[in-house]
Structures are given as C-alpha cells and as structure tokens.
Amino acid sequence: IRSSLYAGSPFQRLIAKRSLDARMNAIFSNVRLHDVGVTRDAFQKFCVNNNAKATKNKTLLKAFVEHCRALSQKPIILEKTPGHIAYAPEILDWLPGAKIIYTVRDARATVESLMRVEWTHSNPKRHAAHWSWCVRQAIRMKKMYSHRVHVVQYEQLVTQPEVVMQNIYSFLKLPYEPPQAASTRSSAVVPDWERNWKENSRKQIDPLHAQSWRRTIDPIIQRTVESSSRIELELLGYTDF
C-alpha cells in the first residue's frame, strides 16, 4: 500500500468516505495494492469467511490488516506509506497491536533529493516546512506512545546498520537476525516498475552516502532549509550549520 507522501495518504481517503462501498472503493483505488496481490474480491471473501463485520472504518482497517497478514503468511506486516504519519493517533488507536518506526533524514538531504525528482513540486521552503511538521508529529507521537513509536535516523542506519537493526528488533520484541542488516540479501520489497529510481536500495550500504548531499546541494537551498527547519534540525541533533 505504498504511496508518495505528496500523493496523499490512503488512510486519508478511507476516513473521508461514509458508505461501506465508498470506503472499499477508496482502498482499492490504490493501484499499488497490485504489487502485493491484494484484490477487492479476495478481501470481501475473506471478510465473509472470517465473519469480519467491516462496516466501519475501524473494523474495516482491522480486517484489511488481517487479510494482508494471511496473504503474506507472516506474523507481522509492514506498511510504509510516509503520509500515514499524519494519522498516527488514529492508526495506533484502531490497531492496538500496531507500532510505528519513523525514519528521518537530515532536512537538507531530504530537500536536496526531492528537488531532483519529477513527481513533486520544486519549492524548497515548502518541502522544509513539510519535513518540520512531520518531525514535530513524530516527536509528539513518541512522547504519547513511547513503547509503540521508534525513531530511526537515516545517517545512523547507513553508518551503523547492525546496531540500528538490533534496536529495531528489540523495539518489535523479535529475535535479532544478523542477515537482516546485509544488503546482499535478496528482497522483493521494491516492485519492478519502481526499480529505476529505487535501484540504490538494492546496492551495498555505503556509509559515505549519509553526507553525500553536501557535495550536490545548492547553497541557496541549503540556507533556505536551515532557516526554515532550524528548530527541528537541532531537536534531532543536526547542528552543523
């Protein structure tokens, strides 16, 4: 159910609908569901077979998660839509067993990257403001749900992958599996149609990539981001202005 933060959260489309049919349409209008093999007919059959009364948003979401879990045959499923951070309180309330891992990168690196893609706008101040809002939301959620929200900084992930992964496994209360930190392990997480712009995710982890933005960022954009997001940058320890 992956989607761009700037395309809006599927959760947003779900809660905006009133009838069951409209809510089902909102869920299955997301073409990315095809990546994980979820279809409307199969989900409706699952609800009937499991007596899942998916008549409200809350029960519909619970049934959908259980359906995805059954399809994957895994005890835990991962949903990685960035835009869901805006609905973290509702998601944590509706799914008592859910946890959130919030991954954040230096705002300057984030904005520098976004300025090079074609699927979003090119306003660095707006990008920085959005980054700051998401960081504040994540910090609020961490304070409110300390045992259910875990913050990971990208720079630490690529420079100390094993340590960060051990912490994540501990947060999830799972036994640590060292191969999980190895980029050589095969994965089907990235679908074929996304590989052109996500190819780096399949390469060996490069610690130098954490600071690579410093070589390519426009100085004007850097100053804009540092001015707009200074408070949030400092809260996360990015103080090298």
Side-chain angles (χ1 to χ4, degrees), residues 133-225:
W133 185 90
C134 290
V135 167
R136 291 194 300 272
Q137 174 77 337
I139 291 174
R140 283 195 296 268
M141 293 299 98
K142 178 65 176 174
K143 290 180 178 179
M144 293 172 61
Y145 305 93
S146 59
H147 299 297
R148 299 180 65 192
V149 176
H150 181 66
V151 177
V152 172
Q153 289 185 253
Y154 170 82
E155 294 79 10
Q156 294 175 356
L157 178 60
V158 298
T159 57
Q160 305 173 65
E162 189 160 349
V163 172
V164 172
M165 291 302 295
Q166 286 176 343
N167 290 336
I168 289 174
Y169 270 71
S170 177
F171 167 69
L172 296 175
K173 299 187 183 304
L174 294 173
Y176 177 60
E177 300 176 18
Q180 292 290 349
S183 62
T184 53
R185 180 169 178 164
S186 61
S187 173
V189 170
V190 179
D192 291 339
W193 64 274
E194 284 188 321
R195 287 184 180 176
N196 285 340
W197 63 285
K198 288 188 176 179
E199 186 60 30
N200 285 341
S201 66
R202 299 166 57 84
K203 294 180 179 178
Q204 187 72 25
I205 295 173
D206 181 4
L208 297 178
H209 190 62
Q211 302 298 329
S212 62
W213 62 269
R214 296 182 184 277
R215 300 190 299 271
T216 55
I217 193 170
D218 184 307
I220 295 176
I221 292 177
Q222 181 173 344
R223 290 194 294 271
T224 298
V225 176

Side-chain angles (χ1 to χ4, degrees), residues 16 66 106 183:
E66 288 304 318
D106 189 316
S183 62

Side-chain angles (χ1 to χ4, degrees), residues 65-88:
V65 169
E66 288 304 318
H67 177 53
C68 291
R69 195 202 313 270
L71 284 176
S72 68
Q73 298 183 333
K74 302 289 185 180
I76 296 176
I77 62 169
L78 172 66
E79 208 295 314
K80 58 172 285 292
T81 303
H84 284 346
I85 188 63
Y87 303 94

